[in-house]
Amino acid sequence: MSFQQGLSGLNAASKNLDVIGNNIANANTFGAKSSRAEFGDMYAAALGAGGGSNIGIGVNLQAVTQQFSQGNITTTANGMDLAINGSGFFEVSVGGQTMYSRNGQFQVNKDGFIVNNQGGQLLGYPADAQGVIQPGLAVPLQLPTAGIDPARTTEITMEMNLDSRAGVTLPATTPMVNFSDATTYNNATSLTVYDDLGQDVALTYYFQKTDTSTWNVYVTANGASVAVDGAGDPAPLTTMVFPANGGSPTSPAGPVTLDVPASTNAAGAVTLAIPGIQLDLAGASQFGAGFGVTNLSQDGYAPGQLSGLTIEKDGIVMATYSNGQSKPAGQIELSTFRNPQGLKPLGGNLWSRTYESGDPIVGTPGQGNLGVLQSGALEESNVDLTAELVNMITAQRTYQANAQTIKTQDQVLQTLVNLR
């Protein structure tokens, strides 16, 4: 009599229940992957045994494999939560060893590193002071804590329409314009620029029609004209001449150099001179429509402090500042494997590479076959709770059936012992 088959069946069903129980326990674990018990039958090796005469001696557990299918993505209110939509793993450094995870629950620690709940540091590419990503060997991403330096204005771009129907406002006597008298000019608009210290300078542009196709452009900085004539009266910075069709001005032929002198701004601060600003008026026009500015921009900005972080779908971590500027602070790197089932589970939502998994194939989100990131979201466990409960019922019945074979074998053996 052999009890081998029933005992192996009990052992297999017990291990299957263990796997199912572990899946159910992690049904609400973000980034967790379900496992599956895989079994194989056992036969005794016997010489001369016919193909149909071998009786199996039971079953054994061959492997417990993890299923790396995509879990559902749920949104959260935390911008540091990340979900990978597609293949790939986050890389985290724990004690100097690189491990892999699908759990995107990250936060920033006191030293500015992006870490998970175990303190593992998220790996990626750093950015230089100008916000240029430095690809290469991935390192723990450390976010900036300092503010952003100011930038002096070097370029101004202006797009607008001057009304061709407007009357000439050029005075008959000097001064040729009076900024306090709106009858001496047709239109005005303003723009703030910045000196080397990031102090604001209010520039106001006045447009004065002198004949059917010519306009004088006056500029004041904090209320004082940037150009004066020999008598000390305001002088035009430049004169725009329009063609008959009212399109882009034929003069000036290119950007106009604007030298802003030192002055005192509205806050009472003495602003530095800003020489050599290039004022581009090529976008101006003179059509029979009302005056309107469609674009007025400049490239300077005041200093700012770090006010927030956003993570783009390609893994770029954007630092935003109180002055409205933003620049990359780094880029997250992802890894994928030819055989992800060969990864070794370590607990804590982490895996480590093995010989069976192969070497990691690294890249940025969205590159190659790597998935993209979704900020403010997490990947749920891929455990199908309904399926696991059905599997548990099946495993329970299998356990009972194997126990019944042992009971039957015991009854047969008891019958033999009772023979006289």
Side-chain angles (χ1 to χ4, degrees):
M1 296 294 177
S2 174
F3 293 92
Q4 172 68 33
Q5 292 92 337
L7 288 172
S8 67
L10 288 176
N11 187 46
S14 177
K15 290 180 179 178
N16 192 21
L17 283 169
D18 289 341
V19 173
I20 294 171
N22 184 68
N23 287 342
I24 294 175
N26 285 284
N28 289 325
T29 302
F30 289 113
K33 299 302 177 183
S34 63
S35 299
R36 182 178 67 190
E38 298 178 353
F39 302 98
D41 54 1
M42 293 191 297
Y43 283 83
L47 293 175
S53 62
N54 253 5
I55 299 176
I57 58 174
V59 64
N60 70 335
L61 179 67
Q62 290 187 320
V64 177
T65 60
Q66 290 196 288
Q67 310 303 306
F68 287 94
S69 59
Q70 177 76 45
N72 293 329
I73 293 179
T74 181
T75 58
T76 70
N78 184 359
M80 292 302 295
D81 288 338
L82 299 174
I84 302 175
N85 190 358
S87 64
F89 296 84
F90 296 110
E91 299 175 325
V92 293
S93 176
V94 180
Q97 180 181 359
T98 300
M99 300 179 184
Y100 307 91
S101 177
R102 291 283 295 192
N103 187 349
Q105 292 175 299
F106 294 106
Q107 55 267 342
V108 181
N109 68 8
K110 63 181 180 63
D111 298 316
F113 290 99
I114 302 176
V115 297
N116 62 10
N117 291 329
Q118 291 76 40
Q121 298 172 334
L122 182 63
L123 300 183
Y125 310 131
D128 61 17
Q130 286 71 44
V132 179
I133 302 297
Q134 306 294 308
L137 182 64
V139 298
L141 286 177
Q142 187 175 24
L143 302 178
T145 55
I148 187 172
D149 293 339
R152 178 173 68 90
T153 298
T154 61
E155 296 178 357
I156 298 174
T157 301
M158 184 178 296
E159 293 180 2
M160 61 186 172
N161 180 68
L162 297 171
D163 194 346
S164 62
R165 301 165 301 179
V168 174
T169 55
L170 183 67
T173 60
T174 59
M176 303 309 295
V177 68
N178 182 355
F179 302 129
S180 300
D181 183 359
T183 63
T184 63
Y185 58 88
N186 297 81
N187 307 105
T189 189
S190 298
L191 175 70
T192 299
V193 296
Y194 298 90
D195 66 9
D196 286 302
L197 299 178
Q199 299 177 115
D200 59 284
V201 180
L203 296 186
T204 303
Y205 306 87
Y206 298 89
F207 304 99
Q208 181 189 67
K209 190 173 186 180
T210 60
D211 60 37
T212 55
S213 61
T214 305
W215 296 73
N216 286 334
V217 180
Y218 296 87
V219 181
T220 63
N222 291 329
S225 180
V226 299
V228 293
D229 58 19
D233 293 329
L237 173 69
T238 188
T239 298
M240 290 190 294
V241 179
F242 291 95
N245 64 5
S248 298
T250 57
S251 177
V256 179
T257 300
L258 171 60
D259 296 320
V260 177
S263 59
T264 302
N265 63 16
V270 177
T271 61
L272 303 179
I274 314 174
I277 297 177
Q278 297 300 297
L279 174 60
D280 186 0
L281 298 170
S285 62
Q286 181 190 247
F287 296 121
F291 171 76
V293 179
T294 55
N295 180 45
L296 187 57
S297 61
Q298 55 87 40
D299 60 351
Y301 49 84
Q305 298 301 316
L306 184 65
S307 60
L309 298 166
T310 57
I311 301 177
E312 308 293 338
K313 66 179 182 179
D314 58 359
I316 292 180
V317 182
M318 294 294 295
T320 56
Y321 296 88
S322 57
N323 60 358
Q325 298 298 308
S326 61
K327 66 177 181 178
Q331 187 173 22
I332 297 170
E333 181 182 77
L334 298 182
S335 292
T336 189
F337 296 86
R338 293 290 297 273
N339 177 26
Q341 289 186 339
L343 293 171
K344 178 181 178 181
L346 302 175
N349 305 311
L350 296 173
W351 290 270
S352 65
R353 65 171 296 273
T354 65
Y355 178 80
E356 287 77 15
S357 70
D359 291 329
I361 304 169
V362 301
T364 56
Q367 186 180 71
N369 63 347
L370 291 171
V372 297
L373 295 187
Q374 184 172 339
S375 178
L378 291 170
E379 181 188 10
E380 297 178 350
S381 169
N382 67 348
V383 172
D384 184 342
L385 193 56
T386 301
E388 295 299 332
L389 292 174
V390 173
N391 292 338
M392 184 167 60
I393 295 172
T394 304
Q396 180 185 11
R397 297 305 183 202
T398 302
Y399 192 94
Q400 292 173 335
N402 279 282
Q404 191 65 35
T405 65
I406 295 176
K407 181 179 178 180
T408 302
Q409 290 279 14
D410 176 59
Q411 291 174 345
V412 172
L413 183 61
Q414 184 64 37
T415 301
L416 290 174
V417 170
N418 291 337
L419 288 176
R420 294 285 189 267

